Amino acid sequence: MKQPTESPRACVIGHITVRDAEKWAEYRRQVPATLSAWGGELVFRGRKISVMSGEHAHAETVVLQFPDARSLDGWFQSPAYQALIPLREQAADVVLIGYES
């Protein structure tokens, strides 16, 4: 009997340079409420202490994990998250990259 295959989990890695700390704090406060409907969770949030190889311009990184790529895309495209993008763009330079794991 063939076993059902699981979809690979999906992660978003965000590289961040904050320009407005107050607006960034407001954005960060609101993001968690957008994750739960999609099974998303915060895995890691940290500030760069060194670059050991190559170049990396951003000071902060965040990692979010989702059950699968469909959930990741659903979260990003959701009205709840889309409503936060203008605030994010005012607050920081952010590169978001989706990965399967």
Side-chain angles (χ1 to χ4, degrees):
M1 178 181 275
K2 185 177 178 182
Q3 294 293 324
T5 58
E6 274 189 43
S7 296
R9 294 188 65 79
C11 292
V12 172
I13 298 178
H15 301 288
I16 305 146
T17 298
V18 175
R19 292 189 321 269
D20 184 320
E22 188 174 307
K23 287 181 180 178
W24 184 248
E26 179 62 21
Y27 168 80
R28 281 182 46 179
R29 185 186 68 73
Q30 293 184 51
V31 169
T34 70
L35 297 172
S36 60
W38 302 99
E41 60 183 313
L42 174 66
V43 175
F44 171 83
R45 178 182 290 137
R47 188 171 233 338
K48 174 176 70 180
I49 57 172
S50 67
V51 176
M52 295 177 214
S53 177
E55 296 180 27
H56 186 74
H58 296 284
E60 298 183 28
T61 296
V62 65
V63 178
L64 306 174
Q65 187 170 28
F66 293 86
D68 51 39
R70 179 177 283 159
S71 298
L72 183 156
D73 188 56
W75 164 75
F76 185 79
Q77 298 299 330
S78 71
Y81 185 71
Q82 288 292 307
L84 294 179
I85 290 176
L87 179 59
R88 184 192 76 201
E89 290 176 342
Q90 293 171 16
D93 295 323
V94 178
V95 176
L96 295 177
I97 307 164
Y99 293 91
E100 285 186 333
S101 60

